[in-house]
Amino acid sequence: KVKWRVWELKMHASPKRDGGIVVPGNRKHHEPLYLPRLTKEKVLKACKERQLYATPRLNENLYLQCFGIEKIENLEEYTGTKALWLEENHIRVIENIGHMRALRCLFLQNNAIHSIAGLT
């Protein structure tokens, strides 16, 4: 099923104004699946909702689970993060976290991961 969804994303995706994409839904419900992008504003909003710091480098924990994202991005300023929660998304590639030198815990269960790239 995961392979089918990845193919569906590549073949039938249409871009949205905010950078996310819309993928046609399954044949039963005919509802499109919208995969939003992880923007700096969304990350900052998530921090505010959990009463974390507004200054990105001060956040030791970052909770981004259940956002529906397919790509890890826009986390460059979060250099002090020790624990990163990204479970229950649509992430396919572990990437863009090499700058998080303090990272000790990475939670990625229930994603569609098929490769690891860009880690130093």
Side-chain angles (χ1 to χ4, degrees):
K1 187 174 182 176
V2 171
K3 288 182 181 180
W4 171 253
R5 295 301 286 173
V6 170
W7 175 83
E8 197 174 48
L9 289 173
K10 290 179 182 176
M11 300 302 294
H12 302 291
S14 58
K16 294 291 282 181
R17 188 175 305 174
D18 69 349
I21 61 171
V22 172
V23 179
N26 62 31
R27 292 188 177 115
K28 286 183 180 177
H29 298 98
H30 302 290
E31 295 175 7
L33 172 64
Y34 174 69
L35 297 177
R37 291 190 65 185
L38 185 61
T39 63
K40 290 182 180 185
E41 293 79 19
K42 286 182 184 178
V43 178
L44 187 58
K45 181 180 176 185
C47 289
K48 286 181 181 178
E49 287 175 355
R50 294 204 177 243
Q51 299 178 349
L52 300 175
Y53 295 105
T55 305
R57 70 177 184 277
L58 298 178
N59 289 301
E60 293 184 354
N61 297 301
L62 197 51
Y63 304 96
L64 302 173
Q65 65 269 35
C66 302
F67 272 44
I69 57 171
E70 71 167 341
K71 184 176 181 181
I72 303 170
E73 57 187 343
N74 294 314
L75 299 178
E76 294 82 15
E77 297 176 1
Y78 293 85
T79 54
T81 302
K82 293 182 180 179
L84 180 58
W85 278 265
L86 288 166
E87 63 268 347
E88 299 284 337
N89 284 295
H90 298 282
I91 297 169
R92 297 184 295 139
V93 179
I94 301 173
E95 60 184 349
N96 302 325
I97 57 171
H99 65 282
M100 294 180 167
R101 300 287 183 206
L103 191 64
R104 298 295 177 257
C105 300
L106 179 60
F107 301 96
L108 286 164
Q109 59 268 31
N110 296 324
N111 279 287
I113 296 170
H114 65 82
S115 67
I116 301 171
L119 301 180
T120 56

mmCIF file of all heavy atoms in Angstrom, residues 29-74:
data_model
loop_
_atom_site.group_PDB
_atom_site.id
_atom_site.type_symbol
_atom_site.label_atom_id
_atom_site.label_comp_id
_atom_site.label_asym_id
_atom_site.label_seq_id
_atom_site.Cartn_x
_atom_site.Cartn_y
_atom_site.Cartn_z
ATOM 1 N N HIS A 29 -13.828 7.171 -1.684
ATOM 2 C CA HIS A 29 -14.280 8.422 -1.102
ATOM 3 C C HIS A 29 -14.136 9.620 -2.034
ATOM 4 O O HIS A 29 -14.758 10.642 -1.822
ATOM 5 C CB HIS A 29 -13.502 8.697 0.192
ATOM 6 C CG HIS A 29 -13.720 7.644 1.222
ATOM 7 N ND1 HIS A 29 -12.826 6.622 1.415
ATOM 8 C CD2 HIS A 29 -14.732 7.442 2.085
ATOM 9 C CE1 HIS A 29 -13.273 5.832 2.375
ATOM 10 N NE2 HIS A 29 -14.427 6.304 2.801
ATOM 11 N N HIS A 30 -13.302 9.518 -3.054
ATOM 12 C CA HIS A 30 -13.086 10.594 -4.021
ATOM 13 C C HIS A 30 -12.695 11.908 -3.359
ATOM 14 O O HIS A 30 -13.059 12.970 -3.822
ATOM 15 C CB HIS A 30 -14.327 10.800 -4.896
ATOM 16 C CG HIS A 30 -14.728 9.576 -5.627
ATOM 17 N ND1 HIS A 30 -13.991 9.055 -6.671
ATOM 18 C CD2 HIS A 30 -15.771 8.740 -5.453
ATOM 19 C CE1 HIS A 30 -14.583 7.961 -7.123
ATOM 20 N NE2 HIS A 30 -15.658 7.738 -6.395
ATOM 21 N N GLU A 31 -11.991 11.816 -2.250
ATOM 22 C CA GLU A 31 -11.525 13.016 -1.572
ATOM 23 C C GLU A 31 -10.024 13.153 -1.801
ATOM 24 O O GLU A 31 -9.287 12.188 -1.629
ATOM 25 C CB GLU A 31 -11.781 12.920 -0.063
ATOM 26 C CG GLU A 31 -13.237 12.867 0.299
ATOM 27 C CD GLU A 31 -13.439 12.656 1.783
ATOM 28 O OE1 GLU A 31 -12.447 12.679 2.537
ATOM 29 O OE2 GLU A 31 -14.577 12.450 2.182
ATOM 30 N N PRO A 32 -9.567 14.337 -2.195
ATOM 31 C CA PRO A 32 -8.133 14.497 -2.391
ATOM 32 C C PRO A 32 -7.380 14.488 -1.064
ATOM 33 O O PRO A 32 -7.926 14.871 -0.030
ATOM 34 C CB PRO A 32 -8.017 15.854 -3.080
ATOM 35 C CG PRO A 32 -9.254 16.581 -2.718
ATOM 36 C CD PRO A 32 -10.321 15.529 -2.489
ATOM 37 N N LEU A 33 -6.157 14.029 -1.104
ATOM 38 C CA LEU A 33 -5.284 14.030 0.058
ATOM 39 C C LEU A 33 -4.357 15.222 -0.071
ATOM 40 O O LEU A 33 -3.622 15.329 -1.042
ATOM 41 C CB LEU A 33 -4.466 12.738 0.109
ATOM 42 C CG LEU A 33 -3.360 12.656 1.149
ATOM 43 C CD1 LEU A 33 -3.962 12.701 2.551
ATOM 44 C CD2 LEU A 33 -2.541 11.400 0.971
ATOM 45 N N TYR A 34 -4.403 16.128 0.878
ATOM 46 C CA TYR A 34 -3.557 17.318 0.851
ATOM 47 C C TYR A 34 -2.357 17.102 1.755
ATOM 48 O O TYR A 34 -2.505 16.787 2.925
ATOM 49 C CB TYR A 34 -4.350 18.542 1.321
ATOM 50 C CG TYR A 34 -3.499 19.781 1.449
ATOM 51 C CD1 TYR A 34 -2.987 20.400 0.318
ATOM 52 C CD2 TYR A 34 -3.191 20.301 2.690
ATOM 53 C CE1 TYR A 34 -2.195 21.523 0.426
ATOM 54 C CE2 TYR A 34 -2.404 21.426 2.816
ATOM 55 C CZ TYR A 34 -1.908 22.032 1.677
ATOM 56 O OH TYR A 34 -1.118 23.138 1.786
ATOM 57 N N LEU A 35 -1.161 17.249 1.197
ATOM 58 C CA LEU A 35 0.064 17.097 1.971
ATOM 59 C C LEU A 35 0.714 18.472 2.129
ATOM 60 O O LEU A 35 1.321 18.987 1.204
ATOM 61 C CB LEU A 35 1.031 16.139 1.260
ATOM 62 C CG LEU A 35 0.520 14.712 1.089
ATOM 63 C CD1 LEU A 35 1.532 13.880 0.317
ATOM 64 C CD2 LEU A 35 0.238 14.083 2.431
ATOM 65 N N PRO A 36 0.576 19.081 3.301
ATOM 66 C CA PRO A 36 1.122 20.420 3.511
ATOM 67 C C PRO A 36 2.638 20.406 3.658
ATOM 68 O O PRO A 36 3.235 19.378 3.972
ATOM 69 C CB PRO A 36 0.460 20.864 4.815
ATOM 70 C CG PRO A 36 0.197 19.592 5.544
ATOM 71 C CD PRO A 36 -0.096 18.562 4.481
ATOM 72 N N ARG A 37 3.244 21.547 3.443
ATOM 73 C CA ARG A 37 4.682 21.710 3.652
ATOM 74 C C ARG A 37 4.927 22.150 5.090
ATOM 75 O O ARG A 37 4.083 22.780 5.716
ATOM 76 C CB ARG A 37 5.240 22.749 2.702
ATOM 77 C CG ARG A 37 5.216 22.265 1.269
ATOM 78 C CD ARG A 37 5.976 23.159 0.374
ATOM 79 N NE ARG A 37 7.395 23.109 0.751
ATOM 80 C CZ ARG A 37 8.307 23.878 0.186
ATOM 81 N NH1 ARG A 37 7.955 24.752 -0.726
ATOM 82 N NH2 ARG A 37 9.565 23.794 0.543
ATOM 83 N N LEU A 38 6.103 21.827 5.571
ATOM 84 C CA LEU A 38 6.511 22.248 6.909
ATOM 85 C C LEU A 38 7.213 23.596 6.772
ATOM 86 O O LEU A 38 8.371 23.667 6.399
ATOM 87 C CB LEU A 38 7.446 21.209 7.535
ATOM 88 C CG LEU A 38 7.856 21.462 8.975
ATOM 89 C CD1 LEU A 38 6.641 21.478 9.890
ATOM 90 C CD2 LEU A 38 8.845 20.408 9.429
ATOM 91 N N THR A 39 6.498 24.661 7.045
ATOM 92 C CA THR A 39 7.055 26.009 6.927
ATOM 93 C C THR A 39 7.588 26.480 8.276
ATOM 94 O O THR A 39 7.242 25.923 9.321
ATOM 95 C CB THR A 39 5.985 26.999 6.438
ATOM 96 O OG1 THR A 39 4.939 27.062 7.421
ATOM 97 C CG2 THR A 39 5.403 26.578 5.091
ATOM 98 N N LYS A 40 8.396 27.518 8.247
ATOM 99 C CA LYS A 40 8.923 28.084 9.491
ATOM 100 C C LYS A 40 7.788 28.581 10.380
ATOM 101 O O LYS A 40 7.842 28.454 11.597
ATOM 102 C CB LYS A 40 9.888 29.222 9.184
ATOM 103 C CG LYS A 40 11.180 28.748 8.577
ATOM 104 C CD LYS A 40 12.133 29.897 8.333
ATOM 105 C CE LYS A 40 13.418 29.373 7.730
ATOM 106 N NZ LYS A 40 14.437 30.407 7.581
ATOM 107 N N GLU A 41 6.753 29.133 9.750
ATOM 108 C CA GLU A 41 5.606 29.639 10.505
ATOM 109 C C GLU A 41 4.869 28.509 11.221
ATOM 110 O O GLU A 41 4.434 28.665 12.357
ATOM 111 C CB GLU A 41 4.651 30.395 9.581
ATOM 112 C CG GLU A 41 5.219 31.683 9.020
ATOM 113 C CD GLU A 41 6.171 31.468 7.834
ATOM 114 O OE1 GLU A 41 6.134 30.378 7.209
ATOM 115 O OE2 GLU A 41 6.963 32.381 7.550
ATOM 116 N N LYS A 42 4.712 27.365 10.549
ATOM 117 C CA LYS A 42 4.021 26.231 11.177
ATOM 118 C C LYS A 42 4.819 25.672 12.357
ATOM 119 O O LYS A 42 4.245 25.283 13.372
ATOM 120 C CB LYS A 42 3.778 25.127 10.148
ATOM 121 C CG LYS A 42 2.680 25.457 9.179
ATOM 122 C CD LYS A 42 2.451 24.322 8.220
ATOM 123 C CE LYS A 42 1.405 24.712 7.189
ATOM 124 N NZ LYS A 42 1.200 23.649 6.210
ATOM 125 N N VAL A 43 6.135 25.636 12.208
ATOM 126 C CA VAL A 43 6.979 25.147 13.298
ATOM 127 C C VAL A 43 6.896 26.097 14.491
ATOM 128 O O VAL A 43 6.741 25.665 15.636
ATOM 129 C CB VAL A 43 8.441 24.966 12.837
ATOM 130 C CG1 VAL A 43 9.310 24.506 13.992
ATOM 131 C CG2 VAL A 43 8.526 23.972 11.687
ATOM 132 N N LEU A 44 6.965 27.386 14.216
ATOM 133 C CA LEU A 44 6.872 28.383 15.295
ATOM 134 C C LEU A 44 5.507 28.320 15.975
ATOM 135 O O LEU A 44 5.411 28.391 17.203
ATOM 136 C CB LEU A 44 7.125 29.781 14.739
ATOM 137 C CG LEU A 44 7.213 30.903 15.768
ATOM 138 C CD1 LEU A 44 8.307 30.633 16.784
ATOM 139 C CD2 LEU A 44 7.448 32.236 15.082
ATOM 140 N N LYS A 45 4.455 28.120 15.197
ATOM 141 C CA LYS A 45 3.111 27.997 15.764
ATOM 142 C C LYS A 45 3.016 26.760 16.663
ATOM 143 O O LYS A 45 2.415 26.809 17.740
ATOM 144 C CB LYS A 45 2.078 27.918 14.644
ATOM 145 C CG LYS A 45 0.660 27.825 15.146
ATOM 146 C CD LYS A 45 -0.326 27.739 14.003
ATOM 147 C CE LYS A 45 -1.730 27.537 14.534
ATOM 148 N NZ LYS A 45 -2.710 27.322 13.476
ATOM 149 N N ALA A 46 3.616 25.656 16.214
ATOM 150 C CA ALA A 46 3.618 24.432 17.026
ATOM 151 C C ALA A 46 4.352 24.660 18.342
ATOM 152 O O ALA A 46 3.938 24.165 19.391
ATOM 153 C CB ALA A 46 4.259 23.290 16.246
ATOM 154 N N CYS A 47 5.423 25.426 18.299
ATOM 155 C CA CYS A 47 6.169 25.744 19.530
ATOM 156 C C CYS A 47 5.313 26.590 20.468
ATOM 157 O O CYS A 47 5.281 26.342 21.677
ATOM 158 C CB CYS A 47 7.458 26.480 19.184
ATOM 159 S SG CYS A 47 8.699 25.439 18.391
ATOM 160 N N LYS A 48 4.629 27.569 19.921
ATOM 161 C CA LYS A 48 3.783 28.428 20.754
ATOM 162 C C LYS A 48 2.643 27.643 21.387
ATOM 163 O O LYS A 48 2.304 27.859 22.547
ATOM 164 C CB LYS A 48 3.220 29.577 19.922
ATOM 165 C CG LYS A 48 4.249 30.632 19.591
ATOM 166 C CD LYS A 48 3.644 31.757 18.786
ATOM 167 C CE LYS A 48 4.688 32.802 18.438
ATOM 168 N NZ LYS A 48 4.135 33.891 17.622
ATOM 169 N N GLU A 49 2.049 26.719 20.634
ATOM 170 C CA GLU A 49 0.938 25.916 21.158
ATOM 171 C C GLU A 49 1.372 25.036 22.321
ATOM 172 O O GLU A 49 0.586 24.735 23.202
ATOM 173 C CB GLU A 49 0.341 25.061 20.047
ATOM 174 C CG GLU A 49 -0.467 25.860 19.045
ATOM 175 C CD GLU A 49 -0.951 25.018 17.877
ATOM 176 O OE1 GLU A 49 -0.590 23.817 17.783
ATOM 177 O OE2 GLU A 49 -1.677 25.578 17.030
ATOM 178 N N ARG A 50 2.613 24.626 22.323
ATOM 179 C CA ARG A 50 3.136 23.780 23.409
ATOM 180 C C ARG A 50 3.907 24.583 24.443
ATOM 181 O O ARG A 50 4.608 24.018 25.276
ATOM 182 C CB ARG A 50 4.010 22.684 22.832
ATOM 183 C CG ARG A 50 3.229 21.706 21.995
ATOM 184 C CD ARG A 50 3.958 20.407 21.968
ATOM 185 N NE ARG A 50 3.204 19.425 21.224
ATOM 186 C CZ ARG A 50 2.722 18.318 21.747
ATOM 187 N NH1 ARG A 50 2.907 18.070 23.015
ATOM 188 N NH2 ARG A 50 2.078 17.457 21.013
ATOM 189 N N GLN A 51 3.802 25.897 24.345
ATOM 190 C CA GLN A 51 4.448 26.826 25.270
ATOM 191 C C GLN A 51 5.960 26.625 25.312
ATOM 192 O O GLN A 51 6.588 26.628 26.374
ATOM 193 C CB GLN A 51 3.836 26.712 26.661
ATOM 194 C CG GLN A 51 2.363 27.055 26.672
ATOM 195 C CD GLN A 51 1.718 26.908 28.028
ATOM 196 O OE1 GLN A 51 2.287 26.362 28.952
ATOM 197 N NE2 GLN A 51 0.505 27.413 28.146
ATOM 198 N N LEU A 52 6.547 26.453 24.124
ATOM 199 C CA LEU A 52 7.993 26.358 23.991
ATOM 200 C C LEU A 52 8.549 27.740 23.673
ATOM 201 O O LEU A 52 7.807 28.708 23.551
ATOM 202 C CB LEU A 52 8.355 25.349 22.892
ATOM 203 C CG LEU A 52 7.847 23.920 23.113
ATOM 204 C CD1 LEU A 52 8.167 23.053 21.920
ATOM 205 C CD2 LEU A 52 8.440 23.325 24.381
ATOM 206 N N TYR A 53 9.856 27.826 23.483
ATOM 207 C CA TYR A 53 10.506 29.110 23.234
ATOM 208 C C TYR A 53 10.212 29.635 21.826
ATOM 209 O O TYR A 53 10.103 28.873 20.870
ATOM 210 C CB TYR A 53 12.018 28.977 23.399
ATOM 211 C CG TYR A 53 12.448 28.647 24.796
ATOM 212 C CD1 TYR A 53 12.878 27.368 25.126
ATOM 213 C CD2 TYR A 53 12.427 29.609 25.795
ATOM 214 C CE1 TYR A 53 13.272 27.057 26.418
ATOM 215 C CE2 TYR A 53 12.816 29.312 27.088
ATOM 216 C CZ TYR A 53 13.237 28.039 27.386
ATOM 217 O OH TYR A 53 13.626 27.734 28.660
ATOM 218 N N ALA A 54 10.112 30.962 21.701
ATOM 219 C CA ALA A 54 9.947 31.597 20.398
ATOM 220 C C ALA A 54 11.279 31.670 19.660
ATOM 221 O O ALA A 54 11.311 31.794 18.440
ATOM 222 C CB ALA A 54 9.364 33.002 20.560
ATOM 223 N N THR A 55 12.381 31.566 20.399
ATOM 224 C CA THR A 55 13.713 31.537 19.793
ATOM 225 C C THR A 55 14.041 30.089 19.450
ATOM 226 O O THR A 55 14.186 29.250 20.346
ATOM 227 C CB THR A 55 14.767 32.104 20.774
ATOM 228 O OG1 THR A 55 14.357 33.409 21.174
ATOM 229 C CG2 THR A 55 16.133 32.154 20.129
ATOM 230 N N PRO A 56 14.144 29.753 18.155
ATOM 231 C CA PRO A 56 14.293 28.357 17.735
ATOM 232 C C PRO A 56 15.436 27.585 18.390
ATOM 233 O O PRO A 56 15.253 26.443 18.794
ATOM 234 C CB PRO A 56 14.510 28.473 16.228
ATOM 235 C CG PRO A 56 13.825 29.728 15.848
ATOM 236 C CD PRO A 56 14.043 30.654 17.004
ATOM 237 N N ARG A 57 16.615 28.183 18.530
ATOM 238 C CA ARG A 57 17.773 27.442 19.034
ATOM 239 C C ARG A 57 17.643 27.021 20.503
ATOM 240 O O ARG A 57 18.369 26.151 20.964
ATOM 241 C CB ARG A 57 19.047 28.245 18.821
ATOM 242 C CG ARG A 57 19.178 29.452 19.683
ATOM 243 C CD ARG A 57 20.511 30.182 19.480
ATOM 244 N NE ARG A 57 20.642 31.284 20.399
ATOM 245 C CZ ARG A 57 20.125 32.494 20.204
ATOM 246 N NH1 ARG A 57 19.444 32.734 19.105
ATOM 247 N NH2 ARG A 57 20.276 33.447 21.088
ATOM 248 N N LEU A 58 16.692 27.611 21.220
ATOM 249 C CA LEU A 58 16.510 27.290 22.640
ATOM 250 C C LEU A 58 15.613 26.076 22.880
ATOM 251 O O LEU A 58 15.554 25.562 23.994
ATOM 252 C CB LEU A 58 15.932 28.498 23.379
ATOM 253 C CG LEU A 58 16.791 29.769 23.381
ATOM 254 C CD1 LEU A 58 16.060 30.888 24.097
ATOM 255 C CD2 LEU A 58 18.157 29.499 23.997
ATOM 256 N N ASN A 59 14.916 25.625 21.858
ATOM 257 C CA ASN A 59 13.982 24.504 22.017
ATOM 258 C C ASN A 59 14.717 23.168 21.992
ATOM 259 O O ASN A 59 15.250 22.766 20.959
ATOM 260 C CB ASN A 59 12.913 24.540 20.923
ATOM 261 C CG ASN A 59 11.954 25.668 21.137
ATOM 262 O OD1 ASN A 59 11.302 25.744 22.170
ATOM 263 N ND2 ASN A 59 11.864 26.572 20.181
ATOM 264 N N GLU A 60 14.733 22.479 23.124
ATOM 265 C CA GLU A 60 15.360 21.166 23.199
ATOM 266 C C GLU A 60 14.432 20.074 22.677
ATOM 267 O O GLU A 60 14.893 19.026 22.248
ATOM 268 C CB GLU A 60 15.779 20.859 24.630
ATOM 269 C CG GLU A 60 16.896 21.744 25.123
ATOM 270 C CD GLU A 60 17.371 21.367 26.506
ATOM 271 O OE1 GLU A 60 16.752 20.483 27.152
ATOM 272 O OE2 GLU A 60 18.362 21.959 26.949
ATOM 273 N N ASN A 61 13.135 20.309 22.720
ATOM 274 C CA ASN A 61 12.137 19.361 22.216
ATOM 275 C C ASN A 61 11.336 20.043 21.117
ATOM 276 O O ASN A 61 10.971 21.206 21.255
ATOM 277 C CB ASN A 61 11.192 18.914 23.329
ATOM 278 C CG ASN A 61 11.921 18.165 24.409
ATOM 279 O OD1 ASN A 61 12.530 17.145 24.158
ATOM 280 N ND2 ASN A 61 11.879 18.679 25.627
ATOM 281 N N LEU A 62 11.056 19.288 20.065
ATOM 282 C CA LEU A 62 10.278 19.823 18.957
ATOM 283 C C LEU A 62 9.227 18.789 18.577
ATOM 284 O O LEU A 62 9.555 17.661 18.208
ATOM 285 C CB LEU A 62 11.210 20.126 17.778
ATOM 286 C CG LEU A 62 10.716 21.040 16.682
ATOM 287 C CD1 LEU A 62 10.171 22.346 17.242
ATOM 288 C CD2 LEU A 62 11.823 21.328 15.700
ATOM 289 N N TYR A 63 7.958 19.171 18.706
ATOM 290 C CA TYR A 63 6.844 18.254 18.496
ATOM 291 C C TYR A 63 6.142 18.573 17.179
ATOM 292 O O TYR A 63 5.398 19.542 17.076
ATOM 293 C CB TYR A 63 5.834 18.375 19.646
ATOM 294 C CG TYR A 63 6.452 18.142 21.000
ATOM 295 C CD1 TYR A 63 6.878 19.201 21.790
ATOM 296 C CD2 TYR A 63 6.611 16.847 21.482
ATOM 297 C CE1 TYR A 63 7.446 18.989 23.041
ATOM 298 C CE2 TYR A 63 7.182 16.621 22.726
ATOM 299 C CZ TYR A 63 7.596 17.698 23.494
ATOM 300 O OH TYR A 63 8.159 17.476 24.714
ATOM 301 N N LEU A 64 6.388 17.751 16.162
ATOM 302 C CA LEU A 64 5.811 17.978 14.832
ATOM 303 C C LEU A 64 5.095 16.729 14.331
ATOM 304 O O LEU A 64 5.066 16.453 13.141
ATOM 305 C CB LEU A 64 6.924 18.394 13.850
ATOM 306 C CG LEU A 64 7.710 19.645 14.259
ATOM 307 C CD1 LEU A 64 8.893 19.859 13.329
ATOM 308 C CD2 LEU A 64 6.817 20.865 14.288
ATOM 309 N N GLN A 65 4.516 15.976 15.233
ATOM 310 C CA GLN A 65 3.802 14.770 14.837
ATOM 311 C C GLN A 65 2.413 15.115 14.300
ATOM 312 O O GLN A 65 1.836 16.128 14.659
ATOM 313 C CB GLN A 65 3.721 13.758 15.986
ATOM 314 C CG GLN A 65 2.911 14.196 17.171
ATOM 315 C CD GLN A 65 3.726 14.893 18.227
ATOM 316 O OE1 GLN A 65 4.669 15.607 17.946
ATOM 317 N NE2 GLN A 65 3.332 14.704 19.482
ATOM 318 N N CYS A 66 1.924 14.268 13.418
ATOM 319 C CA CYS A 66 0.568 14.375 12.848
ATOM 320 C C CYS A 66 0.356 15.666 12.047
ATOM 321 O O CYS A 66 -0.743 16.193 11.999
ATOM 322 C CB CYS A 66 -0.485 14.262 13.946
ATOM 323 S SG CYS A 66 -0.392 12.737 14.893
ATOM 324 N N PHE A 67 1.386 16.159 11.408
ATOM 325 C CA PHE A 67 1.256 17.348 10.566
ATOM 326 C C PHE A 67 0.915 16.985 9.127
ATOM 327 O O PHE A 67 0.558 17.846 8.340
ATOM 328 C CB PHE A 67 2.565 18.154 10.573
ATOM 329 C CG PHE A 67 2.654 19.160 11.682
ATOM 330 C CD1 PHE A 67 2.269 18.859 12.969
ATOM 331 C CD2 PHE A 67 3.146 20.422 11.440
ATOM 332 C CE1 PHE A 67 2.363 19.778 13.989
ATOM 333 C CE2 PHE A 67 3.248 21.364 12.449
ATOM 334 C CZ PHE A 67 2.854 21.035 13.728
ATOM 335 N N GLY A 68 1.075 15.724 8.742
ATOM 336 C CA GLY A 68 0.778 15.300 7.379
ATOM 337 C C GLY A 68 1.843 15.671 6.372
ATOM 338 O O GLY A 68 1.605 15.602 5.171
ATOM 339 N N ILE A 69 3.023 16.052 6.830
ATOM 340 C CA ILE A 69 4.086 16.491 5.925
ATOM 341 C C ILE A 69 4.774 15.305 5.270
ATOM 342 O O ILE A 69 4.762 14.191 5.796
ATOM 343 C CB ILE A 69 5.125 17.346 6.660
ATOM 344 C CG1 ILE A 69 5.722 16.570 7.839
ATOM 345 C CG2 ILE A 69 4.523 18.652 7.112
ATOM 346 C CD1 ILE A 69 6.901 17.233 8.492
ATOM 347 N N GLU A 70 5.386 15.531 4.108
ATOM 348 C CA GLU A 70 6.131 14.467 3.453
ATOM 349 C C GLU A 70 7.624 14.750 3.402
ATOM 350 O O GLU A 70 8.401 13.903 2.975
ATOM 351 C CB GLU A 70 5.613 14.221 2.038
ATOM 352 C CG GLU A 70 5.942 15.303 1.053
ATOM 353 C CD GLU A 70 5.684 14.889 -0.377
ATOM 354 O OE1 GLU A 70 5.598 13.677 -0.655
ATOM 355 O OE2 GLU A 70 5.574 15.781 -1.208
ATOM 356 N N LYS A 71 8.043 15.940 3.845
ATOM 357 C CA LYS A 71 9.455 16.297 3.783
ATOM 358 C C LYS A 71 9.860 17.055 5.046
ATOM 359 O O LYS A 71 9.137 17.931 5.518
ATOM 360 C CB LYS A 71 9.709 17.174 2.559
ATOM 361 C CG LYS A 71 11.148 17.515 2.338
ATOM 362 C CD LYS A 71 11.326 18.300 1.059
ATOM 363 C CE LYS A 71 12.805 18.603 0.855
ATOM 364 N NZ LYS A 71 13.031 19.389 -0.346
ATOM 365 N N ILE A 72 11.034 16.717 5.570
ATOM 366 C CA ILE A 72 11.590 17.441 6.712
ATOM 367 C C ILE A 72 12.306 18.662 6.144
ATOM 368 O O ILE A 72 13.247 18.517 5.366
ATOM 369 C CB ILE A 72 12.587 16.571 7.501
ATOM 370 C CG1 ILE A 72 11.913 15.280 7.980
ATOM 371 C CG2 ILE A 72 13.147 17.347 8.683
ATOM 372 C CD1 ILE A 72 12.873 14.262 8.543
ATOM 373 N N GLU A 73 11.852 19.844 6.521
ATOM 374 C CA GLU A 73 12.462 21.064 5.993
ATOM 375 C C GLU A 73 12.221 22.232 6.937
ATOM 376 O O GLU A 73 11.401 22.150 7.844
ATOM 377 C CB GLU A 73 11.905 21.395 4.600
ATOM 378 C CG GLU A 73 10.399 21.552 4.570
ATOM 379 C CD GLU A 73 9.844 21.709 3.168
ATOM 380 O OE1 GLU A 73 10.608 22.020 2.244
ATOM 381 O OE2 GLU A 73 8.644 21.512 3.002
ATOM 382 N N ASN A 74 12.978 23.307 6.724
ATOM 383 C CA ASN A 74 12.843 24.561 7.477
ATOM 384 C C ASN A 74 13.104 24.416 8.967
ATOM 385 O O ASN A 74 12.493 25.100 9.784
ATOM 386 C CB ASN A 74 11.464 25.191 7.234
ATOM 387 C CG ASN A 74 11.301 25.632 5.803
ATOM 388 O OD1 ASN A 74 12.193 26.253 5.234
ATOM 389 N ND2 ASN A 74 10.170 25.307 5.208
#
